[in-house]
Amino acid sequence: MSTVKALACGKGMGTLERPLYSPGLLLEDDDLTSGVTYTRRLTQLLFSSLFGCGVICGLKIEAENICDGRKLKVKVSKGLGLDCAGNPIEVSSPVVLTYDPDCDRFPKSIWVVACYTERECGPRELSACDGSDRANTRYRAGYEIKLFGSQPASACSCEPPRENTSSSASDCRCPPGAHATGGAAPSSDKAKAADKEPRDCYADHRDGICSCDCGSSCIVIGRIDLTFKGDEVTIDEAKPSYDPVRRIRPVLVGMPESKLAAHNATPPPGGG
């Protein structure tokens, strides 16, 4: 029986670490916590790698100008998303925000962002004799809904970076040139025209490229485009747009039909 030998070998260690218990071993708090940490880190790794970041469902936006167009009322429905680290952003109930620019002008667009948060809770007394020490025993996941007057720097979205904004490997936005038609980044003289083309935010998913890790816990859930009356201070219309939103469910479906047809029409290497 012949054995095939490797021509070369490279070894290393991953980031996952699970606990190893033995009979008679005295367990400390770190040992018990490590079991939870392993499961959570494994889930984050799989979610971020399989699905990436973005909106799973819900998180719909309603925008209304109030106070004779001097203020903007924004309502976000409940829903679910994933941040870049694979944390679930669960908005468990509708959120209503009111933006008052006071004496400033409204921006032309309002970016609506959902962020993952967590806090400690469940305080309990420690086993000290005097009972004076207390410690929290739980982490509870939460969320924040934020409004921005310009595109957030690193929040997960399908919107490409604006002009004069550099793109990096840690950027969770589609890079310039990631158009639905594929191809290299547009030249400078065609940048504005190319910027209007739809972005293919699922190219990395189909090409087997690992998802980004931008370090941001926020995702773009929509943009509100504003039009103004003659004074350019009073809102005439507030229209939500989901163009910059990266949605996760299309990732589960697979290739869009147009791309799948083009892929199937391409002959394999060597013909046949």
Side-chain angles (χ1 to χ4, degrees):
M1 179 178 179
S2 61
T3 302
V4 178
K5 295 183 178 180
L7 299 178
C9 180
K11 297 182 179 180
M13 303 299 293
T15 59
L16 294 177
E17 180 181 289
R18 65 180 185 271
L20 178 62
Y21 303 137
S22 301
L25 180 66
L26 180 61
L27 300 180
E28 299 181 349
D29 60 315
D30 287 345
D31 301 313
L32 299 176
T33 302
S34 64
V36 178
T37 302
Y38 169 75
T39 304
R40 181 175 187 238
R41 177 57 189 144
L42 176 62
T43 302
Q44 290 175 321
L45 181 63
L46 292 178
F47 279 1
S48 62
S49 301
L50 287 172
F51 310 130
C53 55
V55 173
I56 297 177
C57 62
L59 301 179
K60 297 297 183 180
I61 297 172
E62 297 178 14
E64 176 187 3
N65 60 70
I66 58 177
C67 297
D68 295 326
R70 298 286 180 172
K71 297 181 181 180
L72 180 66
K73 180 180 179 181
V74 179
K75 180 179 180 181
V76 177
S77 69
K78 65 180 182 179
L80 181 65
L82 285 176
D83 70 6
C84 293
N87 293 310
I89 304 174
E90 180 193 11
V91 179
S92 54
S93 60
V95 178
V96 177
L97 301 174
T98 300
Y99 172 56
D100 182 2
D102 199 10
C103 296
D104 296 332
R105 292 180 180 271
F106 280 98
K108 293 182 179 180
S109 297
I110 303 290
W111 293 76
V112 188
V113 171
C115 302
Y116 172 82
T117 65
E118 62 180 31
R119 66 179 178 87
E120 296 182 3
C121 60
R124 187 181 301 173
E125 292 185 359
L126 301 178
S127 58
C129 295
D130 56 4
S132 60
D133 293 332
R134 295 170 64 86
N136 291 317
T137 61
R138 301 287 189 276
Y139 279 105
R140 183 162 187 176
Y143 61 88
E144 287 183 344
I145 304 296
K146 301 179 181 180
L147 304 181
F148 292 91
S150 60
Q151 182 182 10
S154 61
C156 171
S157 76
C158 262
E159 189 79 5
R162 298 299 186 186
E163 292 184 11
N164 302 324
T165 301
S166 60
S167 176
S168 64
S170 62
D171 202 324
C172 279
R173 297 168 295 187
C174 288
H179 305 291
T181 54
S187 58
S188 57
D189 58 339
K190 298 181 180 179
K192 291 185 178 180
D195 189 59
K196 297 181 180 179
E197 297 180 17
R199 259 56 187 183
D200 182 5
C201 283
Y202 312 104
D204 286 355
H205 171 75
R206 293 190 303 275
D207 294 340
I209 299 175
C210 289
S211 61
C212 65
D213 184 10
C214 60
S216 173
S217 59
C218 299
I219 61 174
V220 172
I221 61 175
R223 185 186 66 230
I224 304 172
D225 297 325
L226 305 178
T227 56
F228 304 92
K229 296 180 179 179
D231 55 12
E232 297 185 354
V233 176
T234 305
I235 298 176
D236 182 42
E237 184 181 10
K239 185 178 181 180
S241 171
Y242 300 100
D243 290 343
V245 177
R246 185 184 188 276
R247 299 192 178 278
I248 289 179
R249 283 185 172 175
V251 176
L252 303 177
V253 175
M255 290 187 179
E257 292 183 3
S258 59
K259 282 190 168 292
L260 183 59
H263 175 78
N264 291 338
T266 303

